[in-house]
Amino acid sequence: MSVATTDLADVLSRYEVVLGLEVHVELGTRTKMFCSCPTTFGAEPNTQICPVCLGMPGALPVVNAVGVESAIKIGLALGCDIAQWCRFARKNYFYPDMPKNFQTSQYDEPICFDGAIDVDVDGKPVTVAIERAHMEEDTGKSLHVGGATGRIHGATHSLLDFNRAGIPLVEIVTKPIVGAGADAPAIARAYVAAIRDIVRALGVSDARMDQGSIRADVNVSLMPIGATEFGTRTETKNVNSLRSVERTVRFEMLRQAEVLDGGGVIHQETRHFNEATGETMGGRVKETATDYRYFPEPDLVPLAPEREWVEKLRAELPELPAAKRARLRSEWGLSELDMQAIDNAGAFDLIEATVSAGASPESARKWWLGELSRYANEHDAELAELTATPAHVAELQSLVDGGRLTDKLARTVLSGVLAGEGTPAEVMAARNLEVVNDTGALTAAVDEAIAANPDVAAKVRDGKVAAAGVLVGAVMKATRGQADAKSVRELIIARLTAE
Amino acid sequence: MSELTGRTAEELGAAIAAGETSAVEVTRAHLDRIDAVDPAVHAFLHVAGESAVAQAAEVDRRIAAGEKLGPLAGVPVAVKDVVVTQDMPTTAGSKILEHWLPPYDATLVRRLREAGLVVLGKTNMDEFAMGSSTEYSAYGPTRNPWDTGRIPGGSGGGSAAAVAAREAPLAIGTDTGGSIRQPGAVTGTVGAKPTYGGVSRYGLIAFSSSLDQAGPVTRTVTDAALLHEVIGGHDRCDSTSIDAPVPPVVEAARRGLTGDLTGVKVGVVREFAAAQGAEPGVVAAFEAGVQTLTKLGAEVVEVSCPHFEYALPAYYLIAPSECSSNLARFDGVRYGLRVGDDGSRALEEVMSLTRDRGFGPEVKRRVILGTYALSAGYYDAFYGQAQKVRTLVTRDFTAAFEQVDVLAAPTTPFVAFPFGSRTADPTQMYLADLYTIPSNLYGGPAISVPCGLSEGLPVGLQIMAPTMADDRMYRVAAALESTQSPRLADQTPEVTA
Ligand SMILES: [Zn+2]
């Protein structure tokens, strides 16, 4: 397809884009949503299963209270109302990795509804309204064997792993996002990032997109400018990185515009994003819309979260990422531009941790955005993956502040830390890099320099203090640069004028 | 026939505890009885002779060691095949689960074993508990010991027939719309449906989750109460199980046996009596039963449940809707029957062939009905409307119980009917549940107790009580039973193979 020949500005001259995002957050509960099976990621297939999560005849679900608590915390953090009374519902459809052939979910009675969050798009806040956040269980996983693509088409057989079946999910659904214009891809990305940061701050999920513990379904539609009715949307499922979310929106806008421009129609369909090509691909177009035949789950009693409990959870909410960023920006005395540089480098949490470990904000920022960013770039690595930790950086800075390392020596020590040689103190000791400030050793070096340069010493004694530079150079040479030049100079002058 | 199979469970438990007989002897006597009559009755789908004797020997060992066990320790029990058992196949009467061996025990089975009861085997039933005659069992019908040309009721016809034919002194049934009580009525046995949530559903293969309830099938009201006490009570594994003590059912049954019902107010529902279709002999036996209650000192008054006529249609929307979802899991992917998986067919085709071959006609009928009733565009008119009716029926009964302690009604409109007489028109079969369905809809307990004969066949009288007042129905039922000598359940004719 020739989407490269058109661009977003061109599309937006004719169409308005409407976005909708559904983010699935896998909760980090110790046990599954409706049984007591463990939820450890990456276990051997079918080792974390029981009659309940396998949907065995006769087995019944029991709600995980921590799952409900996590859902309420998410709702509160998103500014949602928490239902006084709500129920689970069955979403009925046949799929082999879903043991009961229905998913226990919530339908018209979600636990959280009507919220909003502000997300940051290039320094300006954009409000995204939240329709609802509801609880549901995850499905198992199918592995299709024998086909070329790993998809069901062409496979000779399929393997099923039910370890993931029944793991609690919270699905967060936005209201339609209208009027985003050219910012639509960036808003989608920033929104998903904000959700990720919020659930991480709440401690309810490890929020690893790469492991699928956060997955986004991206809905995009176009309508002619001035139209009041939304166009037909496509839903791109299970997008699993921030960059892919952004690319999905951009690609769909361009693709749909081309279809519409050519007089075609957009089908309401499920699509998949291909990381390699950067394109979305359509699935089989269904003749009819799926009818999930939702009805209230009769095996579970309704939930009525007590108001005192909800208020207690609200009071206990940790500081949320947006508030924290604003607070630290002011505490650190940084401009919005500085903060954006920190965000772009992915250094916010690292700097915060470094400051917590005792370093000043300026020094922490200097190290992470300077030396360490340079190193990460050269090695194509993320800052958080480096061997050097916030604790190391804080320790390094305290050695500088205490006069035991010069800036130049500190950089050498840091390269040792990055090479895995140990903590800054260990590297300093092992490489013998500490500033020489032992007065005995220095005095000996000074005396040696005076004895070796009697003429210069005489000039200094006569008051030509500037001449002392020669002696300083000699001492620095003798101590292999590990002395503090300023102290050496003071020592020489003191020695010669005292005679 | 050993004299042991003629005794009540209470008597057997006492004799075992006193050392007059042993659990092994009692178990062997019942296994022998099964060997002798089950070829004619076909109450059992699976008889676990060896494990039953081993369990009985273990109970004898514990008694010999001086352990204090419950009143039913060592007494055999038959379990309806819709309840999962770890050591016995569980089919729910369906081909789709043929040879399936569950990986766990239902909570109520665990409680039976803990109380020292000996599980004899699994009893026949209409497939997935859908039916009123066992004619919808995939493994052939059970025959009524009173007349082997007639149905034993359903869905739990196997449990009721086993008890009536003295193959077991006790049995477990499940009741979604009358599947314990209607078989009890037509076999001359006692069948009790506890309050919904009174007995754990964990391990009951679900038909209709909001209606299903397990309960006892016995030959005396006291035996039913004793068994109720063993299986009842809160279970963490069932969210809908009630977290409260089991009502004092045994005490109530003993009190009822004194034959004094002074101060008890019994209501007869006007609309039940007005409903068409009840056989005159059934009505007469019921009216005679009510007369007896009056003689025992009860005050009988008429009450009204104006929405009664909508209960049956509402039930036949709610139960199929839930069943269409509950039975979706039977797809051949993980367990049970799998048809057509020869490498040439797509998954959807294998699932569909499996369900087509594995399910019988009544199950298919209800799955299709329920799927339709839950569909977008029809939900409000069918499932939604039925739920509203359920609320109205519940209100009717709540109001009625403000006037009376219990309600009395015939259990089912007709005596045991001949095989094949109601299979042609499903709605004729559905009428069997006319009087039993309301208590499933409102969740209250109900018991069927024999009250007489019509054309030489047993008729049951049903006592309904408010939720968690199960003790009341046991008291009234035991009082009625106390007037019968010999008890109707002890008059089952001898079955010949
Ligand atoms: Zn599990």
Side-chain angles (χ1 to χ4, degrees):
Chain A
M1 101 166 283
S2 56
V3 290
T5 58
T6 68
D7 68 12
L8 225 48
D10 178 44
V11 168
L12 291 162
S13 69
R14 279 163 290 130
Y15 299 104
E16 212 174 310
V17 60
V18 180
L19 280 181
L21 294 152
E22 293 165 22
V23 178
H24 296 258
V25 178
E26 201 174 271
L27 299 180
T29 52
R30 204 173 45 77
T31 56
K32 293 186 180 181
M33 190 64 201
F34 301 115
C35 65
S36 52
C37 288
T39 53
T40 321
F41 180 80
E44 283 293 300
N46 296 315
T47 54
Q48 299 182 154
I49 51 170
C50 74
V52 176
C53 57
L54 277 185
M56 282 285 175
L60 295 173
V62 175
V63 172
N64 181 336
V66 180
V68 176
E69 184 176 290
S70 301
I72 294 176
K73 283 180 180 170
I74 289 174
L76 291 171
L78 300 177
C80 289
D81 290 344
I82 308 301
Q84 303 271 353
W85 189 90
C86 68
R87 286 187 290 192
F88 286 95
R90 292 188 184 177
K91 182 181 184 181
N92 294 285
Y93 63 102
F94 282 82
Y95 206 79
D97 64 16
M98 196 167 55
K100 296 169 292 186
N101 283 325
F102 64 78
Q103 182 188 30
T104 306
S105 179
Q106 293 193 289
Y107 181 49
D108 49 359
E109 299 162 323
I111 188 157
C112 314
F113 54 94
D114 285 348
I117 56 166
D118 283 345
V119 301
D120 186 89
V121 179
D122 295 332
K124 59 176 195 258
V126 175
T127 301
V128 176
I130 311 283
E131 170 92 30
R132 56 189 281 156
H134 71 252
M135 297 176 283
E136 61 185 29
E137 58 178 340
D138 211 340
T139 61
K141 276 182 188 164
S142 305
L143 180 67
H144 304 297
V145 186
T149 57
R151 305 192 78 100
I152 195 160
H153 183 73
T156 56
H157 62 283
S158 301
L159 299 173
L160 296 168
D161 176 8
F162 293 105
N163 283 352
R164 198 180 69 179
I167 286 190
L169 296 176
V170 169
E171 181 178 337
I172 303 160
V173 183
T174 64
K175 291 192 170 131
I177 302 166
V178 190
D183 285 338
I187 289 174
R189 178 190 178 125
Y191 170 77
V192 177
I195 297 290
R196 180 198 61 188
D197 294 346
I198 287 170
V199 297
R200 217 178 257 171
L202 291 171
V204 297
S205 169
D206 62 2
R208 296 274 304 260
M209 290 194 89
D210 57 333
Q211 292 185 354
S213 55
I214 284 208
R215 312 191 284 269
D217 296 346
V218 179
N219 293 286
V220 178
S221 69
L222 296 182
M223 57 181 175
I225 286 178
T228 50
E229 204 173 307
F230 293 168
T232 304
R233 68 188 164 86
T234 61
E235 181 177 23
T236 306
K237 288 268 200 194
N238 292 331
V239 183
N240 62 3
S241 77
L242 293 178
R243 184 161 172 263
S244 297
V245 169
E246 189 167 2
R247 291 168 84 198
T248 295
V249 175
R250 177 182 302 276
F251 181 83
E252 270 303 291
M253 288 170 72
L254 296 172
R255 185 189 70 85
Q256 291 184 18
E258 192 175 85
V259 170
L260 295 171
D261 288 346
V265 290
I266 300 298
H267 295 286
Q268 183 163 343
E269 62 172 349
T270 296
R271 300 180 69 85
H272 294 277
F273 182 73
N274 184 325
E275 302 269 349
T277 61
E279 299 184 355
T280 66
M281 295 181 301
R284 216 165 18 141
V285 178
K286 287 187 189 142
E287 310 275 310
T288 50
T290 312
D291 179 358
Y292 292 117
R293 290 173 284 115
Y294 281 101
F295 73 103
E297 166 58 278
D299 283 332
L300 292 169
V301 289
L303 289 175
E306 297 213 2
R307 292 300 100 179
E308 302 91 88
W309 182 41
V310 172
E311 288 317 309
K312 181 171 166 283
L313 292 176
R314 192 195 303 278
E316 288 169 3
L317 283 185
E319 185 180 30
L320 295 174
K324 186 173 177 181
R325 187 178 182 279
R327 175 176 61 81
L328 290 180
R329 187 195 139 182
S330 116
E331 279 180 24
W332 294 348
L334 299 178
S335 70
E336 183 51 43
L337 222 57
D338 291 335
M339 286 305 276
Q340 277 179 43
I342 290 173
D343 290 341
N344 291 340
F348 182 79
D349 292 342
L350 296 164
I351 291 174
E352 195 219 345
T354 307
V355 172
S356 304
S360 66
E362 306 80 53
S363 62
R365 179 166 152 264
K366 181 194 75 184
W367 285 115
W368 285 107
L369 293 194
E371 199 65 12
L372 289 163
S373 284
R374 206 157 28 244
Y375 180 88
N377 273 342
E378 280 165 17
H379 292 78
D380 201 19
E382 297 286 332
L383 282 179
E385 298 165 359
L386 298 181
T387 319
T389 64
H392 288 149
V393 175
E395 184 187 333
L396 187 71
Q397 185 59 39
S398 88
L399 291 170
V400 173
D401 294 344
R404 297 176 69 189
L405 288 176
T406 61
D407 270 5
K408 187 157 168 268
L409 286 170
R411 281 196 290 275
T412 312
V413 168
L414 186 58
S415 71
V417 172
L418 287 165
E421 293 169 24
T423 65
E426 286 164 1
V427 174
M428 181 176 78
R431 292 208 197 174
N432 195 19
L433 291 171
E434 185 166 3
V435 170
V436 177
N437 56 10
D438 158 32
T439 33
L442 262 190
T443 309
V446 167
D447 287 348
E448 230 170 81
I450 291 171
N453 300 283
D455 300 352
V456 180
K459 280 183 189 165
V460 178
R461 277 194 200 96
D462 292 348
K464 292 180 180 160
V465 183
V470 179
L471 298 174
V472 171
V475 171
M476 293 304 283
K477 196 177 171 194
T479 57
R480 289 176 296 128
Q482 278 169 255
D484 180 43
K486 203 170 147 233
S487 321
V488 170
R489 186 181 184 83
E490 279 165 9
L491 194 60
I492 290 168
I493 293 166
R495 198 120 186 111
L496 291 175
T497 51
E499 281 173 1
Chain B
M1 173 171 69
S2 161
E3 165 276 330
L4 287 173
T5 57
R7 296 209 214 166
T8 68
E10 187 185 20
E11 288 161 0
L12 290 170
I16 292 166
E20 290 159 25
T21 183
S22 68
V24 168
E25 266 182 273
V26 171
T27 300
R28 287 229 162 93
H30 285 93
L31 289 171
D32 289 347
R33 176 73 181 161
I34 292 170
D35 279 346
V37 303
D38 211 54
V41 178
H42 191 229
F44 284 86
L45 291 178
H46 178 84
V47 178
E50 231 169 89
S51 83
V53 172
Q55 269 184 75
E58 173 65 12
V59 172
D60 285 335
R61 194 195 56 73
R62 287 167 68 187
I63 290 172
E67 257 185 75
K68 186 89 187 86
L69 299 174
L72 295 180
V75 179
V77 59
V79 176
K80 189 178 179 183
D81 205 30
V82 76
V83 181
V84 304
T85 41
Q86 196 161 12
D87 55 352
M88 297 171 208
T90 300
T91 68
S94 181
K95 282 285 171 199
I96 212 161
L97 278 179
E98 193 166 18
H99 309 306
W100 180 58
L101 197 63
Y104 72 108
D105 265 342
T107 297
L108 79 85
V109 171
R110 194 171 45 74
R111 289 183 178 169
L112 291 174
R113 296 191 205 277
E114 282 167 6
L117 280 90
V118 174
V119 181
L120 289 176
K122 306 297 288 290
T123 58
N124 196 18
M125 55 185 283
D126 287 293
E127 185 178 5
F128 287 105
M130 298 172 198
S132 303
S133 69
T134 71
E135 289 168 291
Y136 293 126
S137 167
Y139 303 98
T142 296
R143 294 170 185 281
N144 192 326
W146 286 76
D147 177 347
T148 51
R150 290 173 186 265
I151 60 101
S155 64
S159 284
V163 169
R166 294 188 284 279
E167 296 173 81
L170 301 171
I172 296 294
T174 62
D175 191 313
T176 305
S179 287
I180 290 175
R181 291 163 287 160
Q182 182 257 1
V186 301
T187 58
T189 54
V190 176
K193 178 196 97 73
T195 296
Y196 179 81
V199 177
S200 170
R201 288 190 296 116
Y202 190 75
L204 258 62
I205 299 178
F207 158 21
S208 180
S209 312
S210 72
L211 301 161
D212 296 344
Q213 179 61 55
V217 179
T218 60
R219 290 195 296 274
T220 73
V221 174
T222 310
D223 281 358
L226 286 165
L227 187 53
H228 184 148
E229 219 166 52
V230 170
I231 60 174
H234 182 242
D235 177 17
R236 281 188 312 119
C237 293
D238 176 0
S239 309
T240 61
S241 124
I242 295 171
D243 192 0
V246 180
V249 291
V250 175
E251 194 189 308
R254 296 204 197 287
R255 188 171 172 207
L257 285 177
T258 63
D260 181 9
L261 289 179
T262 310
V264 176
K265 232 173 159 182
V266 178
V268 174
V269 182
R270 189 181 304 132
E271 291 80 4
F272 279 36
Q276 297 297 304
E279 293 173 352
V282 168
V283 174
F286 166 68
E287 282 171 356
V290 173
Q291 284 277 308
T292 308
L293 297 180
T294 314
K295 277 185 213 143
L296 296 174
E299 184 192 344
V300 177
V301 298
E302 200 181 68
V303 295
S304 175
C305 290
H307 299 94
F308 167 70
E309 63 172 308
Y310 305 111
L312 188 80
Y315 172 88
Y316 276 100
L317 287 168
I318 293 169
S321 295
E322 292 184 7
C323 106
S324 71
S325 173
N326 283 330
L327 268 55
R329 72 191 65 196
F330 301 103
D331 59 6
V333 172
R334 292 163 305 278
Y335 45 76
L337 182 74
R338 183 186 290 178
V339 179
D341 184 20
D342 56 9
S344 75
R345 293 183 173 88
L347 176 80
E348 287 81 1
E349 209 182 334
V350 171
M351 280 173 148
S352 175
L353 281 171
T354 300
R355 289 168 68 80
D356 184 37
R357 198 79 57 80
F359 288 145
E362 184 60 24
V363 169
K364 283 180 190 161
R365 183 150 45 230
R366 298 202 197 184
V367 167
I368 290 167
L369 201 64
T371 303
Y372 188 78
L374 289 176
S375 300
Y378 298 99
Y379 180 95
D380 290 339
F382 294 121
Y383 185 79
Q385 197 69 9
Q387 289 294 2
K388 284 181 197 155
V389 169
R390 188 172 187 174
T391 304
L392 294 172
V393 168
T394 304
R395 277 189 206 154
D396 281 1
F397 277 81
T398 307
F401 286 124
E402 279 165 14
Q403 303 164 56
V404 296
D405 299 309
V406 295
L407 293 169
T411 305
T412 179
F414 23 82
V415 294
F417 47 87
F419 286 110
S421 61
R422 287 181 189 266
T423 39
D425 179 358
T427 59
Q428 284 304 304
M429 190 76 89
Y430 296 169
L431 280 177
D433 297 335
L434 186 65
Y435 304 133
T436 42
I437 277 170
S439 73
N440 296 90
L441 289 180
Y442 81 80
I447 189 169
S448 176
V449 59
C451 68
L453 297 173
S454 166
E455 298 161 44
L457 292 166
V459 175
L461 183 146
Q462 182 184 204
I463 306 291
M464 292 166 271
T467 51
M468 286 310 273
D470 305 46
D471 49 325
R472 287 190 205 171
M473 72 181 186
Y474 280 103
R475 181 182 170 197
V476 177
L480 185 64
E481 184 188 82
S482 75
T483 64
Q484 301 161 0
S485 185
R487 284 182 293 251
L488 207 69
D490 294 329
Q491 298 173 42
T492 318
E494 188 46 41
V495 186
T496 45

